[in-house]
Structure formats: C-alpha cells, structure tokens
Amino acid sequence: MYVSRKSAWARTGATLALALGLTVLGCSDKEGDDDKDEGTPVTATLTGRVTFDSVPAVYTPTTRQGSLAFNQVSVKPVRNATVQVLRGSTVLASATTDDDGRYQLTFTAGDQADVTLATLAKTTTPDIQVEDNTDGNAIWAVVTQIKGGTTSKDLHAGHGWNGSSYTANQRVAAPFAILDAMYTASHAFLAERPVPFPPLKVNWSPNNAPQNGDKARGQIGTSHFSPNENEVYVLGLAGADTDEFDSHVIVHEWGHFFEANLSRADNPGGPHSSGDVLDPRIAFGEGYGNALSGMLLPSSIYVDTLWSGTRLGAFGFDLETPPTTTDDPNPGVFSEFSIMRFLYDLHDESTLSETPFDQVSLSLGTLYDVLVGPQRTTEAVTTVGSFIHGLKAQPGVDAAAVDRLAAHYNIGAIRSEWGEGDTDLYGMYKFVTVPFSENNFFTRGEPFNQRQQNRYYVFTGNGRRMTVTADSTEDVSILALQQGATAGEADRFTTGKETFDFNSQTDRRYVLVTTGWADEGSGNYNYTLSISSQ
C-alpha cells in the first residue's frame, strides 16, 4: 500500500561550515589545500562527549496556556549518533556515541592539519537520519575544526534562542531533539521485543512552513508522515510553527511510520480535531498516535507549540484528564479523543479515581504484539474494534477488564474484528453477496473522513473477475481492500461514474470503502453502487 522512496543513507561528504554550529553534510570534491604544510603525521585517539539543549514544551490544561520553556532547558546526551573525523570529504575515522553521548575514535593526520569533527543527526540502531529537505537532502550535523593530533573534544548543540527570536544558523539542537525523541520511542519497544525497524528518513528545515506546495522549498503543510515517501516531515519556520521540540508531535508522527511499516494503517488521513465524528479508521489512527506519544516518552501532557503573531503559544491536552462535553462531545468509536484515552489507559498505571473502570495495565510488548499481529492481518479495516478483538486474544489479557475500560469511553464490548458488540461500529459494515446493487446516500457539507461520508461493504471473492461501479451526481470514490492491500480503486475527483475491475481470490474477504466527497452545501445526495462478477 505504501511506497518507499530510496534516499542517500550514506551521504557524508565534506562539511559546509567549519565553525562550531549547525550545518549539513553534502558532497564536495574539495579535499583541502594541498600546498599547506600539515606537519608530522600523528595517530591520535580522540575522545569527547556530544550533548544538545533540550527545550521542554509545556502546557497547562486548566489555563490552556503553553509555550517552549527556554528557562527550563536541560543538557542531554546525543545517543547512538555517528561521529566522524573528516579531511575534506574523506572520512578518516568514525564512531558511535554511547548512551551518555561519549565517543572514542582513532585517526591519523598531520599535527598541523585542519580536520573536521562532526556529529551527524543519524543513529545506527535503529537507522534514523535527519536531513534538510530544502538543501538536497543533506544530513544535519554539528561540527567544529580541530588539528591533527587532538585527543579530546566535546561538541554541544545549542538551541539558538536569544530571548525573543532564534539567531540565524544557530538552531543547532533542533535536528538532535527530533532524533532523540524518535530514538526514545524506538528503544521503548526494543526494550520489550526485537523490533525489525526499517531505516527512517526525517526531513527538518528552518524553511519548513505550514504551507502546501513544493517540499524541496519547505512547503510541507504540517508536520506529518508521508506514506507515499515513507518519510516524516517536521515544521521549522520560526514565527509560524516550529515542532522540533514538540516531542509528542514528533513521536505521534513516528507512530504513523511504525504503523505503516510494522503494523497497518487504513487511515484515510485528512483534517481532524476534538469533537469530530470521524470515520473509525482515522479515529483509531490519530487516537493511537496521541496515546503512543504519552506511553513512550512518557508524559501524559501532549503539547504542540505554534506562533500567533509574535507570541509563541501552544495547544495541548492531558491524556489522563477525564473527558468533558467540550473536548469529547461525541464519545465512542468515532472519537479520536475517546480512543486515545482508552489506549493510554490500557498501558498506564491506574490512579485511585480510575480504579472502578481502569483495572488494566498492559506492557508495551503486549500492545506491540497486537499491532504487528492481528491488527496487521485483520480482514476488517483497522479500527479500535479490530484492535480490541486482537488484544483480547493475547495471553494474560483480562477481556472483562478491557470491556469495562472500553465502556467508560462509550465503546461497546467488542467480540469480533468487525466491531460486533458496538452497534455503531458494526453498523458501518454491510455484508453482501455478489452480485449486489443498492441506492444509498451521503450528506453534503461533511469532510470526506467523517463517519457520515463512508460506507463499508464486505463481500467474498469467487476467483473470477469482478467489476465495481458507483454513480452519483456528486463526487464519490470506491476502494476495495483485502487485508489492507488495495485490490482496486477509482476516484476521478469529479461527479459521475466511478468503476474498476479486479481479479478476486476465492474465499478471500474484501472490504469496499465508498466515500462521499461533497464537503460543501447541505442536504443528502444519492449514489448507486453495484458489484458484479464475470
């Protein structure tokens, strides 16, 4: 379903700046000044420590106020990062920092030679790399110039905030903060299971703006995971929106990467906010991302900072705060906020006030087993129903306790991957026999990813070629999924007829998602759907 874009994972040429600061590593033919007397060659063992400024993103749910707390900065180690000594574009030696940011390497150079010490925003286990999408995808690094024979050198990546704004080219900590949040998330799972993480490319730039357009110019729209590229993009434009220190946002997007590569996400994407009655695929996907960030960091306060004019503020919520009619007016399987609280409570230790309904505290390993197992292989689409059904099948899980917790968030006692036990969720599916046809309707004025704009039809393949057709006076799309893989789809982004053919597999179940796209106006509009086989 997702297509990865190949990138230059080993791109570590000459540095573009030699003073201590933030730079990117790209390609260069420059090997240095051959006429310079570099002195006597000497072999040196170089040691040091690499650190970065960690700026907490803070938010107070009661006052709904938040910001980046530059007065609470802590110095953290850059863990598992690649350290190199370079002569021009030639790597003389390489090492990896430990959990305290310390490194050791041995290199040979003239005792008067100018060489570059660089720490790349790149970990090795797992392979995560932060690049500049506005500068040829070069790797971010913190660098300094040293002389051959140097035996000790620390590197520190500062945040660059001067009290009112960022100093240009001094936002050294930004890519390392992103790297640290994703490394933390990865190792929370690695502590429980031998996770086969694929390489991850993360795109951050101080040019990355909340504007849709050319990503190579920083027009990324918002911080997001791109399933088509299998990459994460992070906002960085000062004065507009900067997310590099918003660790919950970073881990939320990392969670989508995890879903796409190790689990499964049938999430259609699109806008979403508290109070929305969402298609259950996106309700689960976004609720999962929010909950996961709280589990892995760990902190129950989700914070997303942004600028409003010249003022830096924040949006946020507490995953432990009981739902209210303001933030969750329509609780249940179609609510991102209901699902995030339910998932978070599955893992956390319950408080005294939660004891009557929350008697569950499951390990990350158990949740991982569900995500990479039954959630990935379900014949249904990925919703909280398929997740709960898979969860109850895990060894040691108290199904009654899970149902009790789910009921607190208006989620039914799920007894199948299709959501049986929750009337509203199970009602999304219509089980049909081919040939099939019906007239139905959608509602104008609703975004495509809302509950009202989607219908699921479930049918069984017969080994023959099937034709699916939808016709309407408004724009509709049709998508046939078989365990999350696309069997066929049609969407011409216009009114009229949509149709596709596909070769069905005998006795395999398919879910046909029919979506209405008329997000303007009011009232209902009809569509005709048919499924036939040759």
Side-chain angles (χ1 to χ4, degrees), residues 47 161 322 351 365 398 474:
T47 62
W161 183 256
T351 62
D398 184 340
E474 297 286 357

Side-chain angles (χ1 to χ4, degrees), residues 412-426:
I414 301 296
R415 60 178 184 270
S416 79
E417 59 193 315
W418 309 99
E420 289 179 270
D422 187 289
T423 302
D424 289 336
L425 179 56
Y426 189 57

Side-chain angles (χ1 to χ4, degrees), residues 94-108:
S94 184
T96 302
T97 59
D98 64 16
D99 282 347
D100 193 40
R102 299 187 184 279
Y103 71 91
Q104 178 176 305
L105 53 79
T106 300
F107 71 100
T108 301

Side-chain angles (χ1 to χ4, degrees), residues 57-367:
V58 298
Y59 182 79
T60 304
T62 54
T63 62
R64 297 184 180 181
Q65 299 294 315
S67 186
L68 291 176
F70 288 102
N71 61 339
Q72 299 177 32
V73 171
S74 62
V75 175
K76 290 186 176 181
V78 176
R79 300 171 292 167
N80 193 237
T82 300
V83 182
Q84 295 178 339
V85 172
L86 303 101
R87 172 71 171 88
S89 61
T90 301
V91 178
L92 301 180
S94 184
T96 302
T97 59
D98 64 16
D99 282 347
D100 193 40
R102 299 187 184 279
Y103 71 91
Q104 178 176 305
L105 53 79
T106 300
F107 71 100
T108 301
D111 59 8
Q112 299 302 309
D114 292 327
V115 295
T116 300
L117 174 64
T119 300
L120 282 61
K122 173 181 173 63
T123 57
T124 58
T125 308
D127 190 342
I128 307 171
Q129 180 168 301
V130 186
E131 301 182 359
D132 185 349
N133 52 289
T134 67
D135 190 15
N137 299 324
I139 306 169
W140 286 108
V142 58
V143 304
T144 191
Q145 192 176 77
I146 60 176
K147 292 293 186 182
T150 300
T151 58
S152 178
K153 188 64 178 180
D154 294 341
L155 286 172
H156 177 69
H159 54 64
W161 183 256
N162 61 25
S164 59
S165 62
Y166 285 109
T167 301
N169 300 321
Q170 292 299 311
R171 294 171 63 182
V172 191
F176 294 98
I178 295 169
L179 194 68
D180 186 73
M182 292 187 172
Y183 182 80
T184 296
S186 304
H187 275 259
F189 276 120
L190 284 168
E192 299 275 343
R193 297 290 188 269
V195 186
F197 285 113
L200 170 59
K201 175 183 172 184
V202 186
N203 301 275
W204 178 85
S205 168
N207 301 314
N208 281 357
Q211 176 185 356
N212 291 315
D214 184 357
K215 289 181 176 179
R217 297 175 61 189
Q219 298 166 346
I220 69 169
T222 186
S223 294
H224 68 280
F225 168 70
S226 169
N228 292 329
E229 299 168 272
N230 205 33
E231 299 172 6
V232 172
Y233 287 82
V234 181
L235 288 165
L237 183 62
D241 201 345
T242 57
D243 281 345
E244 59 266 19
F245 295 119
D246 298 350
S247 55
H248 282 78
V249 175
I250 301 302
V251 174
H252 177 113
E253 300 309 332
W254 177 90
H256 290 317
F257 162 79
F258 178 101
E259 270 189 306
N261 289 272
L262 298 169
S263 181
R264 189 175 117 203
D266 298 334
N267 186 343
H272 54 95
S273 62
S274 61
D276 286 349
V277 182
L278 296 166
D279 177 285
R281 295 168 295 164
I282 186 173
F284 177 80
E286 300 308 323
Y288 147 88
N290 294 342
L292 197 68
S293 68
M295 296 177 195
L296 303 185
L297 285 173
S299 170
S300 67
I301 305 292
Y302 188 104
V303 191
D304 183 2
T305 61
L306 71 162
W307 263 269
S308 178
T310 58
R311 179 179 174 272
L312 180 60
F315 158 80
F317 46 81
D318 186 352
L319 291 159
E320 283 281 43
T321 300
T324 67
T325 55
T326 301
D327 79 342
D328 199 7
N330 301 291
V333 297
F334 307 115
S335 166
E336 164 188 354
F337 273 44
S338 292
I339 290 171
M340 75 179 187
R341 289 186 171 109
F342 166 71
L343 294 176
Y344 186 76
D345 279 346
L346 284 175
H347 174 64
D348 75 333
E349 297 288 342
S350 61
T351 62
L352 184 61
S353 63
E354 293 175 327
T355 301
F357 63 87
D358 183 3
Q359 299 173 18
V360 185
S361 183
L362 301 174
S363 69
L364 284 175
T366 297
L367 300 180

